[in-house]
Amino acid sequence: MIPLFRIDTSSNVVNAVTHVIQRGAKWAGGREVEEFEQRLCRYVGCRHAVVVNSGTSALHMALMVHDIGPRDEVIVPSFTFIATANCALFVGAKPVFADIDETTLGLDPEDVEARIISRTRAIVCTHYGGNSCAAAALRALADRHGLILIEDAAESLGATHQGRNVGTFGHAAVLSFCQNKLIATGEGGALLTDSDVTANRARLLRSHGRNDDGNYFSASGSGEYIALGYNFRMSNILAAVGIAQMNRIDELVAQRIAAVAHYNNLLSAIQGIALPEVQEPARHVYQMYTVRITGGRQVRDKLQLWLREHGVASKVYFEPVHTSPFYRDTLGYAGVSLPISEQMSGQVLTLPLYPEITFDQVEEVCSVITEFFERRSRDG
């Protein structure tokens, strides 16, 4: 099977983890966590990074530090991983779904603006699959209405929009380091911000509301607990993995872009496949390689089965959140209509992509896809 993704297990990653383990102390926090945060700040171009145990925790924190809670509404995409919407529920707010545009698969600013009411407090925009959404327009919209903009950049570390790095448009941004991400620590995430206040509040929330500058496990005192907090900490072991991969991030992105260029060259002639688009000036880092099967859900699902039968992994990212049983039936979102989100979710299919994928493997995937469409054409 050609997998959808592979985790980096190169020697520099193994050596970094081994060093932390053999050191035998401060696994829960310390120098690697701090260095990882500094590396993220330099790479993205923000003042603060607060690393945590997951992207979901980072997004939860981003809403909490901006005092979003009960009776507030948060506008979110439905074409996203469910955590983007769930985090509004975590703080007692109501997620309000807005539609996306066909090019970036991110929030459509016009549709967002139509859904703003007096109770709206924030917009959470998602940068899909390594691309960027209309972040500049969404920030201008948020500023015009006095709203908080949070960028869910879980899939797009290193992407750019209008010459600026994704993660620098919002009042805060979040990253994920889950195992299929460009920088993957297994689990992990980060909150990015230029605000000292936001960063300090996030650090309190990360470790039980404890107000101290040192490491709890190496300090002699117990610290002062001045707020309600959580255990959102990242371990030094995972931070070491992140640092080792940050050392190669430009190489990892270049390898993905090269593989995508080969994919695009081989698939561009196939009628029925729409390739990913990039709105210049922007950089797509291709955390995922997602094509659209323009014949719709039935054809897409048959292609996915065909790929699986021929040893090629693929996945649908994403089914709309508002159509999930939890949101549709339990929370009462059955009447929500998002035509573009629903159309795109019936077409998208993510194909294998990772830095070490070979051109031979790309050609094998494309050969299987080509045969599928040739058979469809012959069979009418």
Side-chain angles (χ1 to χ4, degrees):
M1 171 83 62
I2 298 177
L4 198 61
F5 64 90
R6 286 190 187 277
I7 298 172
D8 183 7
T9 56
S10 55
S11 59
N12 63 325
V13 172
V14 174
N15 291 339
V17 172
T18 301
H19 174 72
V20 175
I21 292 174
Q22 291 180 339
R23 195 170 65 211
K26 297 183 180 178
W27 285 7
R31 72 179 72 162
E32 283 78 15
V33 167
E34 294 168 4
E35 181 181 347
F36 191 24
E37 291 177 335
Q38 292 165 5
R39 295 291 295 275
L40 291 169
C41 286
R42 291 198 297 270
Y43 186 74
V44 174
C46 60
R47 293 190 62 218
H48 301 283
V50 182
V51 297
V52 290
N53 58 3
S54 73
T56 302
S57 296
L59 189 52
H60 187 179
M61 284 200 320
L63 294 177
M64 286 191 291
V65 297
H66 289 99
D67 294 320
I68 295 166
R71 295 179 297 280
D72 293 335
E73 292 191 358
V74 179
I75 297 177
V76 300
S78 182
F79 186 79
T80 184
F81 183 57
I82 198 168
T84 308
N86 282 353
C87 287
L89 299 178
F90 292 168
V91 298
K94 177 183 177 181
V96 174
F97 294 109
D99 217 343
I100 60 173
D101 71 70
E102 294 186 23
T103 301
T104 69
L105 302 180
L107 282 175
D108 177 355
E110 290 186 7
D111 196 68
V112 170
E113 187 160 29
R115 298 172 191 273
I116 295 173
I117 63 172
S118 61
R119 291 192 300 276
T120 307
R121 287 286 315 284
I123 301 166
V124 179
C125 63
T126 299
H127 301 287
Y128 178 84
N131 201 2
S132 62
C133 70
L138 289 166
R139 178 58 190 258
L141 175 62
D143 289 345
R144 191 160 64 247
H145 290 273
L147 305 177
I148 299 297
L149 177 66
I150 298 170
E151 295 176 73
D152 182 346
E155 301 170 358
S156 293
L157 174 62
T160 66
H161 172 67
Q162 296 186 358
R164 285 174 54 184
N165 285 329
V166 159
T168 64
F169 291 88
H171 296 84
V174 301
L175 303 172
S176 170
F177 309 120
C178 190
Q179 60 183 343
N180 64 333
K181 300 300 191 293
L182 194 146
I183 296 297
T185 62
E187 284 287 6
L191 181 146
L192 310 178
T193 184
D194 284 333
S195 166
D196 295 346
V197 173
T198 297
N200 289 336
R201 295 191 70 183
R203 292 186 182 106
L204 282 175
L205 287 170
R206 174 173 65 179
S207 192
H208 299 288
R210 186 171 50 246
N211 185 23
D212 58 29
D213 295 328
N215 185 305
Y216 175 82
F217 296 100
S218 59
S220 58
S222 59
E224 291 186 320
Y225 296 86
I226 63 173
L228 177 65
Y230 300 81
N231 182 358
F232 286 160
R233 295 188 301 265
M234 173 184 279
S235 75
N236 268 331
I237 295 172
L238 297 188
V241 175
I243 294 166
Q245 293 182 354
M246 287 296 295
N247 290 335
R248 299 179 57 219
I249 190 166
D250 291 335
E251 175 190 356
L252 298 175
V253 171
Q255 289 173 324
R256 287 175 179 273
I257 291 173
V260 166
H262 200 45
Y263 262 126
N264 287 346
N265 183 54
L266 295 172
L267 295 178
S268 60
I270 299 178
Q271 295 292 320
I273 291 184
L275 303 179
E277 298 181 51
V278 181
Q279 289 185 326
E280 300 295 344
R283 180 171 82 150
H284 196 319
V285 295
Y286 296 103
Q287 186 260 317
M288 302 188 300
Y289 181 67
T290 300
V291 299
R292 292 194 291 114
I293 311 305
T294 57
R297 184 178 297 272
Q298 186 176 21
V299 179
R300 191 273 312 278
D301 292 350
K302 287 181 179 178
L303 172 59
Q304 187 174 28
L305 176 61
W306 175 265
L307 287 166
R308 182 165 65 245
E309 289 172 346
H310 289 78
V312 177
S314 65
K315 191 159 183 165
V316 174
Y317 291 108
F318 297 96
E319 295 290 353
V321 175
H322 74 279
T323 65
S324 68
F326 175 58
Y327 276 84
R328 184 191 64 223
D329 302 331
T330 305
L331 297 183
Y333 283 80
V336 172
S337 176
L338 301 171
I340 305 301
S341 297
E342 292 159 16
Q343 179 188 5
M344 294 299 101
S345 70
Q347 296 182 356
V348 292
L349 189 63
T350 298
L351 301 176
L353 182 65
Y354 39 93
E356 294 80 16
I357 196 169
T358 66
F359 276 21
D360 286 346
Q361 289 173 312
V362 170
E363 290 163 10
E364 183 177 345
V365 174
C366 293
S367 176
V368 172
I369 293 172
T370 300
E371 184 178 356
F372 171 83
F373 281 99
E374 287 177 346
R375 283 173 174 257
R376 280 186 59 80
S377 179
R378 287 199 304 270
D379 296 343

